[in-house]
Amino acid sequence: MAELKNIFDIAGRSMAAQQVRLNTVASNIANANVRSGTAEAAFRPLRPVFQTYFEGGRRNAQMATTDVRDVVELDRDPQQIHDPGHPLADEQGFVYVSTVDVNDEMVDMLEASRQYQNNLEVVTTLRTLMLRTVNMGKS
């Protein structure tokens, strides 16, 4: 793990984690209602697993941020639909549809987007304050 040197590192890593979250939401939405010929091949929604990273260990931490530890498939069985005319239908005429809930994904996307924006605001504010500090004696 790279060391945390300042607020830019903290916010940057948090923004990167939210970007992974947004990418998984986009993947889930893109695969909503996708049909498959077998339950095993059906798309299952993805979720990032976050982990808090403490600089100096948990007890002595002066700074902390979050990282994505993994991206996992949710353990949801696909929906079985009888559609014998579908080209992917099995011998009994069933196709399997992903269990992506687009409403849940939109809520997750909104939350991830707001978290990303909050971190961007921290970086922007810090940058502005640093520029003001540098320019204090120049007026």
Side-chain angles (χ1 to χ4, degrees), residues 4 51-65:
L4 296 175
Q51 180 176 353
T52 304
Y53 173 71
F54 297 97
E55 179 68 25
R58 194 173 197 163
R59 290 184 171 244
N60 301 320
Q62 294 181 9
M63 291 187 276
T65 190

Side-chain angles (χ1 to χ4, degrees), residues 1-6 8-10 13 53-56 63 65:
M1 252 338 111
E3 130 184 15
L4 296 175
K5 297 177 185 136
N6 54 43
F8 293 112
D9 290 336
I10 294 169
R13 286 171 66 168
Y53 173 71
F54 297 97
E55 179 68 25
M63 291 187 276
T65 190

Side-chain angles (χ1 to χ4, degrees), residues 14-108:
S14 182
M15 289 168 70
Q18 294 306 322
Q19 185 65 43
V20 170
R21 186 175 176 192
L22 286 168
N23 287 341
T24 59
V25 167
S27 176
N28 290 342
I29 291 173
N31 286 291
N33 297 319
V34 170
R35 294 169 188 245
S36 177
T38 65
E40 295 78 27
F43 180 81
R44 284 168 173 72
L46 304 172
R47 288 287 181 267
V49 177
F50 296 102
Q51 180 176 353
T52 304
Y53 173 71
F54 297 97
E55 179 68 25
R58 194 173 197 163
R59 290 184 171 244
N60 301 320
Q62 294 181 9
M63 291 187 276
T65 190
T66 189
D67 289 315
V68 175
R69 188 181 76 208
D70 197 9
V71 176
V72 298
E73 285 185 349
L74 297 182
D75 189 23
R76 293 183 186 167
D77 291 330
Q79 183 181 5
Q80 186 179 25
I81 297 177
H82 191 256
D83 187 2
H86 196 281
L88 294 175
D90 62 13
E91 303 83 37
Q92 290 84 32
F94 288 104
V95 291
Y96 300 87
V97 181
S98 67
T99 56
V100 173
D101 184 340
V102 176
N103 292 324
D104 284 347
E105 298 302 323
M106 295 299 286
V107 169
D108 204 30

Side-chain angles (χ1 to χ4, degrees), residues 7-8 11-12 15 118-128:
I7 191 71
F8 293 112
M15 289 168 70
N118 289 343
N119 280 294
L120 187 58
E121 186 66 29
V122 166
V123 170
T124 303
T125 301
L126 183 57
R127 183 178 170 269
T128 301

